[in-house]
Amino acid sequence: SSFDAIKFYDLDIYLNKLMMRAGLMNDVFQRDVKQIFSRQTIATQVREGPLKQIERCRIKIESDYHDRRYPTSACILDLIRCSVVVESVPDMMSGLKWFADCVANGQGASIKRFL
């Protein structure tokens, strides 16, 4: 087999750069999400999630995105994660609208870079 420079760069350089950026932005992202949900009226619990593991990213890229254009690593959109727990479906819908409106109005600057 021959050396695939594009695949090497995609999975070993580009993906590592994405992971580094995710690690650097994680605290700010988590803070912004918590601040947005702290200002609304429904009861929520915001839980920080772990960064997606690089090995899981590689597997997902090679299995789910192998037919996408270079750089396939850019298809991984959930490196930084959190969850918001609410009590009911109507609260979930209300909270989602609140979140989208806040981000659209410029709150949570780190989030806007992701959406």
Side-chain angles (χ1 to χ4, degrees), residues 25-100:
M25 296 185 76
N26 187 47
D27 289 343
V28 175
F29 175 83
Q30 301 297 337
R31 183 202 66 214
D32 285 351
V33 172
K34 288 175 185 173
Q35 284 179 348
I36 286 173
F37 279 101
S38 72
R39 294 189 297 262
Q40 51 83 47
T41 58
I42 61 171
T44 59
Q45 182 180 13
V46 178
R47 297 180 182 165
E48 184 173 337
L51 291 176
K52 184 177 282 262
Q53 293 183 351
I54 195 163
E55 192 53 41
R56 178 66 188 119
C57 292
R58 289 177 193 276
I59 292 167
K60 192 166 187 169
I61 291 163
E62 291 178 330
S63 63
D64 295 356
Y65 304 127
H66 65 277
D67 59 343
R68 300 283 179 94
R69 290 179 45 194
Y70 171 83
T72 55
S73 295
C75 295
I76 303 290
L77 302 177
D78 61 340
L79 294 173
I80 299 175
R81 303 176 290 179
C82 68
S83 60
V84 179
V85 180
V86 296
E87 295 181 7
S88 68
V89 172
D91 285 353
M92 180 182 68
M93 299 306 292
S94 175
L96 184 58
K97 182 174 181 345
W98 171 266
F99 183 75

